[in-house]
Amino acid sequence: MDEIAPEYDVIVLGTGLTECILSGVLSVKGKKVLHIDRNDHYGADAASVNLEVLFKKYGNYAKGTEPWKQYGRLNDWNIDLVPKFLMSSGELTNILVSTDVTRYLEFKQVAGSYVQQGSGPRATVAKVPSDAGEALRSPLMGIFEKRRMKGFIEWVGSFNVKDTATHKGLDINTCTMKEVYDKFGLETTTKDFIGHAMALYPNDAYIDLKGGAVEAIDRIRLYGNSVARYGKSPYIYPLYGLGELPQGFARLSAIYGGTYMLNTTVDELVYEDGKAVGIKATMTGVDPEMTFETKAKMILGDPSYFPGKVRVVGHVLRAICVLKHPLASTNDADSCQLIIPQSQVGRKNDIYIACVSSAHNVCPKGYWIAIVSTIAETAANHHLELAPGLERLGRIEEQFMGSPIPLYEPLEDGTRDKIFISKSYDASSHFESTTDDVRDIYRRLAGEELVVEGLREGIQVADE
Amino acid sequence: MADLAGAPRPSSSVKLVLLGEAAVGKSSLVLRFVNNDFQENKEPTIGAAFLTQKCNLPTRTIKFEIWDTAGQERFASLAPMYYRNAQAALVVYDLTKPTSLVKAKHWVAELQRQASPGIVIALVGNKLDLTNDSGDGEGTDANDSGDARKVSTEEAKTYAEEESLLFFETSAKTGYNVTEVFTAIANAIPETSLKTARGAGASAAAASRAEEQRVNLNGPRDPNAKEGCAC
């Protein structure tokens, strides 16, 4: 067994996506990184797992039976634990391209982005219109509302925050999104799909936020630009599941000298004068077990490695479902996102359904994986909160739903104790908040903004 | 990904992964194959995503994408992504070090468990220059008895035959048998698995339909996309 160095610049705990992006970036920048995970696989909470692992994780089968055996080859299943898609013009795409991690991964479009209007059997499910032409064809709006929507979308396209001539007479720095909607005379149901299925806000808090219009417009433009990039939907998704993303960044780190250890538990964080200076850890799965101690200038990791240094800020409800058919009203899409805005089903938070299939090499042919999720609003009866989403799925072959999943946030920013902790993956349908967290952590630990553009240029690369 | 229509020979990309104990000469073999170069006391590999090299066969051209483990195998932490869609593997041992063959057998088992069923595996005993039968008749630069061989050709060959592996003894230092390994691998890759290139395992019809939705993130962005909304 090789030697562990006596000291590293950074020790990273947990191989989730946030941690792996940071490991990759820090390694390229010449930092000596030791990256550890207690699990026997990459990805931590952002892993993709096979059906056997999923059944065992949720324990929903009779002892002595092996229900996963009726679903074909285990290796054909890559089921995400956290359902998210990449915005094709979003920040994660930018990081992937800038770091060249795209060389290890292949992406495909998500076939459609849908929104629900109304509830129960009479609900309408329709494609989210992303340009003026689609707005005019959309069944989501009446004839006059379509014209108003067309006017709104065209205005968003020409909007320039620096050019007051494009502000329609609004004081854009202080006005709310409600004032913008009212300017165009948009109906409540239209606001609903704009705010929730295009700007992708999980609730209605954004509407009355003073000065919130600019961010909302930016988010609608990100949606529009992302759709325009490849055509079918604003989303892309990696073949073999989201678990490929952390693996890709871990490889980036490794080729720049990062050291990787799975199956390794942290026995103790070592402090000096209130600052973290190293770890004591044990690698299992090898004979004999290897116990070691090493130092580092800083430690970063996911919340599960730092109980007592994080707090719970909410809970996500999530049901992973295996289907043998596509979602209804999605034109038999091999993949899609369906958003049920909160107001349509009497909730405060939206319900998201992310659906992928064999087209993305995440399951054998003939199966679809649909993950229904929302933010918990009650202390019990969580299955009822997800019910409007589960109703959309039709017959469900297998359903995996555990207790509400706590969302953690660090108590401190890490500058005092040199421990930098990431946030849990939130309920949002994409990775924009994850990359915000990556940038935030980088700023805290490096004291400067993360610039990924041109990151690998000018670096001496052996053998290339 | 697109076929080179009109090109004299069809060309296909083949992902080849390197496996083997540290310091058996994995990178040196590749360096010899790609650059026809050898570096004494080469540092462990850093910074290479993967190397590419073409191999011209009479009827087709194979472009190898050669993936190095980047050290992730050191603490048994190689990611499944590494094996994903690999169509060929080079499992290297040092024929002066019996434990490296044990390790090589471990990697062969791992490949048979994790990789695509049709993967072509070559078992390669490297550092033939340190033995008496160095192939180029030059003998050896090892001292005293002159033969540092500790793994017999017969033992490794028998094992390779049992497991249906290609088998070669090479010297990255002298270049002996190196090109032959890659040519043999290129020849052994079934024509059918080349057709579907990276989507190995998928049916041809599904692959072509699926191809429409595949996206190239490195492709040029719509120049207007960043500033103005394309709405």
Side-chain angles (χ1 to χ4, degrees):
Chain A
M1 191 59 53
D2 292 67
E3 292 288 304
I4 311 281
E7 183 168 6
Y8 292 85
D9 292 320
V10 188
I11 294 173
V12 184
L13 305 178
T15 54
L17 179 58
T18 310
E19 286 70 30
C20 286
I21 295 175
L22 284 163
S23 268
V25 166
L26 291 166
S27 297
V28 174
K29 283 179 171 279
K31 299 279 187 243
K32 192 173 163 113
V33 174
L34 174 64
H35 202 152
I36 285 173
D37 197 304
R38 66 167 80 85
N39 299 302
D40 66 357
H41 56 266
Y42 285 87
D45 285 348
S48 304
V49 301
N50 68 38
L51 263 181
E52 180 179 353
V53 173
L54 203 62
F55 269 107
K56 288 182 172 165
K57 183 177 164 69
Y58 285 87
N60 56 339
Y61 64 103
K63 286 278 163 277
T65 65
E66 296 180 316
W68 50 87
K69 292 213 160 151
Q70 59 185 297
Y71 292 101
R73 272 174 25 128
L74 269 184
N75 280 353
D76 289 341
W77 291 91
N78 299 289
I79 303 166
D80 302 328
L81 297 178
V82 173
K84 280 181 186 291
F85 292 139
L86 288 86
M87 304 287 296
S88 59
S89 289
E91 181 58 18
L92 183 54
T93 308
N94 181 35
I95 295 176
L96 282 161
V97 171
S98 300
T99 54
D100 243 3
V101 169
T102 42
R103 291 177 73 169
Y104 315 133
L105 305 171
E106 280 189 88
F107 290 87
K108 262 194 195 175
Q109 289 191 65
V110 171
S113 166
Y114 294 84
V115 64
Q116 174 171 328
Q117 223 169 53
S119 63
R122 296 181 54 200
T124 308
V125 169
K127 191 170 187 293
V128 179
S130 67
D131 60 28
E134 283 189 352
L136 292 176
R137 291 191 301 274
S138 176
L140 295 167
M141 295 164 285
I143 179 103
F144 296 109
E145 183 70 355
K146 282 178 183 173
R147 301 243 174 90
R148 291 188 282 269
M149 177 64 180
K150 176 173 180 281
F152 173 77
I153 289 193
E154 284 169 349
W155 173 73
V156 167
S158 63
F159 175 83
N160 178 349
V161 71
K162 288 181 191 134
D163 180 1
T164 49
T166 66
H167 295 180
K168 281 253 169 196
L170 293 161
D171 182 355
I172 207 70
N173 292 314
T174 58
C175 82
T176 63
M177 199 56 199
K178 181 176 185 303
E179 292 170 61
V180 174
Y181 287 144
D182 290 347
K183 194 87 190 171
F184 287 87
L186 294 172
E187 292 168 4
T188 305
T189 49
T190 310
K191 291 179 202 169
D192 249 7
F193 77 70
I194 294 174
H196 295 265
M198 296 177 78
L200 299 166
Y201 285 109
N203 55 50
D204 266 347
Y206 79 99
I207 287 193
D208 294 313
L209 186 68
K210 271 208 155 309
V214 175
E215 190 199 274
I217 294 165
D218 273 350
R219 292 171 73 135
I220 297 167
R221 287 161 73 105
L222 172 60
Y223 186 95
N225 288 339
S226 294
V227 176
R229 193 149 178 210
Y230 299 115
K232 289 191 175 178
S233 83
Y235 302 114
I236 53 173
Y237 183 87
L239 296 189
Y240 302 102
L242 298 178
E244 299 293 283
L245 295 167
Q247 291 179 47
F249 285 101
R251 179 165 169 83
L252 174 69
S253 170
I255 64 175
Y256 282 93
T259 300
Y260 278 78
M261 301 181 81
L262 301 181
N263 281 315
T264 302
T265 50
V266 178
D267 303 317
E268 192 186 331
L269 296 170
V270 183
Y271 292 89
E272 264 172 35
D273 303 326
K275 285 185 166 51
V277 293
I279 58 164
K280 290 179 181 170
T282 306
M283 184 180 182
T284 58
V286 287
D287 193 28
E289 288 190 350
M290 180 174 61
T291 298
F292 62 94
E293 186 173 350
T294 183
K295 288 184 170 299
K297 298 185 181 76
M298 60 181 76
I299 297 174
L300 71 93
D302 76 49
S304 69
Y305 290 86
F306 307 99
K309 289 183 174 290
V310 291
R311 66 192 167 111
V312 176
V313 292
H315 288 86
V316 178
L317 306 177
R318 208 172 274 153
I320 300 172
C321 303
V322 175
L323 314 177
K324 280 187 175 170
H325 54 81
L327 296 195
S329 316
T330 61
N331 196 20
D332 291 344
D334 59 40
S335 53
C336 67
Q337 179 180 77
L338 168 57
I339 293 180
I340 307 175
Q342 31 90 342
S343 60
Q344 304 295 320
V345 289
R347 290 180 50 77
K348 295 193 195 70
N349 293 281
D350 295 347
I351 297 173
Y352 296 119
I353 304 175
C355 182
V356 284
S357 70
S358 57
H360 294 86
N361 302 13
V362 294
C363 57
K365 263 197 131 35
Y367 289 100
W368 279 255
I369 301 166
I371 307 184
V372 183
S373 59
T374 191
I375 293 169
E377 294 172 8
T378 59
N381 293 326
H382 294 118
H383 60 289
L384 293 180
E385 291 201 49
L386 287 178
L390 295 171
E391 276 169 18
R392 305 288 351 153
L393 305 188
R395 183 189 148 94
I396 297 170
E397 306 300 320
E398 298 290 348
Q399 180 177 328
F400 304 88
M401 183 181 164
S403 323
I405 300 154
L407 296 179
Y408 296 100
E409 237 176 52
L411 291 173
E412 290 185 39
D413 71 0
T415 44
R416 189 185 61 86
D417 58 5
K418 295 290 169 199
I419 290 184
F420 301 90
I421 307 172
S422 61
K423 295 177 183 169
S424 305
Y425 301 97
D426 64 16
S428 70
S429 59
H430 50 69
F431 284 105
E432 298 304 301
S433 55
T434 305
T435 49
D436 285 349
D437 196 28
V438 166
R439 290 185 168 280
D440 187 43
I441 294 169
Y442 186 83
R443 190 183 308 116
R444 274 144 53 193
L445 66 82
E448 59 177 29
E449 292 295 320
L450 173 61
V451 180
V452 290
E453 289 78 9
L455 188 66
R456 294 184 67 174
E457 284 160 22
I459 288 169
Q460 198 58 45
V461 173
D463 293 1
E464 262 188 346
Chain B
M1 253 160 271
D3 287 325
L4 296 177
R9 273 185 298 220
S11 166
S12 337
S13 281
V14 164
K15 175 175 171 181
L16 179 147
V17 295
L18 284 172
L19 289 162
E21 200 173 77
V24 295
K26 299 186 288 293
S27 296
S28 296
L29 276 169
V30 173
L31 212 56
R32 171 62 73 189
F33 174 58
V34 174
N35 297 339
N36 197 18
D37 188 18
F38 182 81
Q39 295 169 8
E40 202 80 54
N41 304 319
K42 191 184 159 304
E43 289 290 305
T45 317
I46 283 195
F50 46 78
L51 297 166
T52 57
Q53 173 72 334
K54 282 187 181 144
C55 188
N56 290 317
L57 301 180
T59 57
R60 60 190 188 191
T61 299
I62 301 280
K63 187 181 166 208
F64 283 111
E65 273 180 13
I66 305 165
W67 289 47
D68 198 282
T69 56
Q72 278 177 298
E73 84 288 12
R74 275 200 294 160
F75 298 104
S77 301
L78 210 50
M81 190 187 71
Y82 186 70
Y83 304 103
R84 191 89 72 203
N85 290 331
Q87 288 153 284
L90 205 61
V91 181
V92 188
Y93 68 96
D94 173 349
L95 42 72
T96 69
K97 203 175 165 200
T99 54
S100 72
L101 180 63
V102 175
K103 191 73 190 175
K105 290 179 180 176
H106 157 84
W107 287 121
V108 170
E110 192 72 2
L111 282 164
Q112 288 165 342
R113 198 171 64 84
Q114 295 235 34
S116 333
I119 190 168
V120 174
I121 305 174
L123 179 70
V124 174
N126 191 34
K127 305 198 183 176
L128 193 65
D129 51 279
L130 300 180
T131 71
N132 279 341
D133 37 8
S134 57
D136 57 0
E138 247 179 59
T140 173
D141 36 4
N143 37 29
D144 48 310
S145 80
D147 194 347
R149 178 191 285 275
K150 297 271 170 53
V151 179
S152 73
T153 307
E154 202 184 359
E155 180 194 352
K157 196 174 180 185
T158 307
Y159 165 74
E161 276 165 9
E162 281 166 13
E163 299 292 336
S164 313
L165 318 174
L166 299 171
F167 172 69
F168 289 89
E169 291 188 335
T170 62
S171 165
K173 187 171 179 175
T174 65
Y176 178 76
N177 245 356
V178 175
T179 314
E180 285 77 357
V181 175
F182 289 90
T183 310
I185 292 172
N187 274 313
I189 290 172
E191 198 96 34
T192 48
S193 83
L194 291 175
K195 290 259 164 63
T196 52
R198 308 187 72 156
S203 80
S208 71
R209 216 192 60 188
E211 215 54 51
E212 309 163 11
Q213 272 175 288
R214 208 160 289 206
V215 295
N216 174 14
L217 296 184
N218 293 318
R221 286 189 181 210
D222 181 341
N224 302 318
K226 246 187 173 164
E227 288 307 312
C229 177
C231 301

